[in-house]
Amino acid sequence: MFRKRSSFILCGTFLFVTWNAVLVLLLWGRAPPGQPGAGQLDPASMPTDDVVGDVIRVADSFELELAKQKEILSQILSHRSLWKPVNRKRAKVDVPSPPVIPILVIACNRVTVRRCLDKLLELRPSAELHPIIVSQDCGHTATADVIASYGDKVTHLKQPDLSDIPVRPEHKKFQGYYKISRHYRWALNQVFRTLSHSSVVIVEDDLEVAPDFFEYFRALHPVLRSDPTLWCASAWNDNGRDGMVDPSQPALLYRTDFFPGLGWMLLREAWEELEPKWPSSFWDDWMRQPEQRRGRACVRPEISRTLTFGRQGVSLGQFYDKYLKFIKLNSEFVPFTKLDLAYLQEDAYQTSFTKQVYSAAVVTYEDVKQGRLSGTGPFRLQYSSKDSFKVMAKNLGIMDDLKSGVPRTGYRGVVSFFYRGRRIYLAPPPGWSRYDPTWS
C-alpha cells in the first residue's frame, strides 16, 4: 500500500512540474485570463515587436496560473496524512490463557487404578490443560508398577511418610482414615505449593468419569472463581441412583449445602484457608462442619459425572451395596462451556429455587409412596423434624444421614429427587432459616 501511494505521489509531482513548463510555453499564445477567447490562438495575442509589453503580459498570466496551481498543491498537502504507510501490526489484544486444571488421582493399593487412569486419558481433551497427577500412599509395589507403566502420560508422586500414626486406643481401627487425611494434605500441598497450580480436580483411584467430565469442570471453573458463596464443584449426586434422577435433564445443575466429594474441584485460595487447620482424620466429614463451610455451597449435577467401582476400602463397603453401586453415570455429552450458567449465582438461584419448591403442590408421604399423584409435578413433601425426615428419606430410597444437620444434596433444607417419574422436593416448612447441627 505504501509503495503504491509513493509512486502515485512521484507521478503527480512530475506531471505538476511538466504541466507548469508547458504552460509557460502555451501562455505566449493565450489571451489574458478573463478576456473572451481565452485558450484560443489569436493573432493579436502572438508575440509583437513590443518585447517589454509581451513580457509583462506573460508575467501577469503566469502569476494568475501559478496562484491556481498553488491552491491545487495546498489541497494535495491537506491530505498528507494519507501518505503515511499503513501500520500492519495489529493492536495487541490481551486474550486470557485458558486455565490449567490438573486432575489429582489419590491412590493407595488398588491395581484397578488402571481403570480410572485409562478413562481419564481417553477422555482428556488436552494434556497441557489437564495434567494428570497420581499421588500414591501405602507403598504398594504392584499399584506403583501400574502407575509407572503410563510413563510421562501421568506424574507419579509418592507420599514419603508411610509410618503408622499414633492414635487413641479406641481409634486404632480407624488408622486408615488417619492415613488418608495425612495423604490428602500432603498431595494437595504438592499440587498447590510445589507445582504451583491454582485449581485442581480431585478423584480417587476407584472412580470412573463420564464423557463430559472435563467439559463439566472447565465450565464450572469460572463460576467457582467468580462467586465467593461457592467453595467447591462436585461431579457427584449422592441421591443419583438410576430411577431417582431425571434422565431428560443431563444439563441440570444445583447448588448444595452438603459437601459431596467423589470428584470435586478446589481452588488454591480455599486450600490456603483449609490447610492450616486440616484434620488428622475423617477429612470429608470435617469439610461438612459449619466452621469450614461458613455458609457456602457447592455445585452438583442432576446426573453424576463420576461412578465408584471400589467396594473394598477403609469404609469396608459402607453404603456401597445399598446406594453407591446403583448411581447412574451420565452418558450424554453436555457442552457446558457453551451454556449460560448464570442461574447458579446465589441470589438468582435462591429466589428461583425457593419459588419452585414452595409453589409446588403439597402431598403426603402415602401419596408419594403409593403412586397416588395426579399431574406431572413437581410436588412438595414436607418434613418437620429430624425423625420425620429420616423416616421418609429411608422409605423412599434416598440417603437419610445428616452431617451437622445438613441432608445429602440438601439446599436450604430441601432435597430434590425423582420418584416414579415425578420431581419430589422433600422440604422443611416455609420460612426455613438455618440448619440445626444437633440433627446428626
Side-chain angles (χ1 to χ4, degrees), residues 228-231 256-259 273-274 277 286-298 403-406 410-412 432 434-435:
T229 68
L230 292 172
W231 71 317
T256 176
D257 300 320
F258 190 92
F259 171 72
E273 172 194 325
L274 297 171
K277 54 180 181 176
W286 176 83
M287 290 275 286
R288 293 160 182 151
Q289 294 173 357
E291 295 79 10
Q292 280 64 253
R293 191 170 68 81
R294 293 170 48 200
R296 294 171 292 190
C298 294
K403 304 292 183 181
S404 298
V406 184
Y411 176 72
R412 297 183 63 80
W432 180 95
R434 64 183 181 84
Y435 291 105

Side-chain angles (χ1 to χ4, degrees), residues 361 363 367 371-379 422:
V363 294
D367 291 336
R372 297 199 303 249
L373 301 176
S374 58
T376 58
F379 301 97
R422 293 177 173 86

Side-chain angles (χ1 to χ4, degrees), residues 185-351:
R185 183 176 199 163
W186 182 85
L188 287 169
N189 274 332
Q190 294 300 303
V191 169
F192 289 122
R193 296 184 176 176
T194 304
L195 300 176
S196 301
H197 289 294
S198 60
S199 63
V200 68
V201 174
I202 304 109
V203 299
E204 296 191 0
D205 56 0
D206 61 345
L207 289 183
E208 183 175 325
V209 302
D212 56 359
F213 173 86
F214 290 94
E215 174 78 0
Y216 175 79
F217 282 111
R218 289 210 71 80
L220 287 176
H221 182 273
V223 175
L224 186 58
R225 187 160 290 286
S226 64
D227 189 345
T229 68
L230 292 172
W231 71 317
C232 85
S234 173
W236 183 257
N237 176 357
D238 275 299
N239 291 315
R241 293 198 300 167
D242 198 5
M244 305 206 76
V245 294
D246 186 350
S248 70
Q249 299 223 49
L252 181 59
L253 305 180
Y254 296 83
R255 291 175 71 104
T256 176
D257 300 320
F258 190 92
F259 171 72
L262 293 175
W264 54 287
M265 182 161 58
L266 182 72
L267 301 182
R268 179 167 52 200
E269 293 80 1
W271 177 243
E272 289 173 348
E273 172 194 325
L274 297 171
E275 194 273 341
K277 54 180 181 176
W278 191 252
S280 58
S281 63
F282 305 106
W283 69 269
D284 49 350
D285 283 344
W286 176 83
M287 290 275 286
R288 293 160 182 151
Q289 294 173 357
E291 295 79 10
Q292 280 64 253
R293 191 170 68 81
R294 293 170 48 200
R296 294 171 292 190
C298 294
V299 176
R300 60 98 174 170
E302 168 75 3
I303 304 176
S304 289
R305 263 63 187 184
T306 53
L307 174 70
T308 178
F309 55 83
R311 184 181 185 280
Q312 299 301 320
V314 294
S315 64
L316 302 178
Q318 182 186 23
F319 297 131
Y320 184 82
D321 290 330
K322 191 173 182 179
Y323 296 104
L324 303 184
K325 73 177 182 180
F326 300 109
I327 295 295
K328 177 180 173 63
L329 181 66
N330 181 62
S331 58
E332 177 182 340
F333 185 92
V334 176
F336 283 108
T337 56
K338 295 179 173 60
L339 302 182
D340 183 1
L341 301 180
Y343 70 90
L344 291 170
Q345 294 174 357
E346 183 183 32
D347 290 344
Y349 187 86
Q350 181 176 322
T351 300

Side-chain angles (χ1 to χ4, degrees), residues 346-374:
E346 183 183 32
D347 290 344
Y349 187 86
Q350 181 176 322
T351 300
S352 174
F353 186 78
T354 302
K355 180 180 179 181
Q356 206 169 24
V357 171
Y358 291 100
S359 62
V362 179
V363 294
T364 66
Y365 163 74
E366 289 75 18
D367 291 336
V368 176
K369 185 68 176 176
Q370 297 174 20
R372 297 199 303 249
L373 301 176
S374 58

Side-chain angles (χ1 to χ4, degrees), residues 147-165:
I147 299 168
S149 71
Y150 289 89
D152 60 3
K153 293 179 181 178
V154 305
T155 299
H156 186 187
L157 307 177
K158 296 182 180 180
Q159 204 281 105
D161 186 0
L162 304 181
S163 63
D164 283 342
I165 300 171

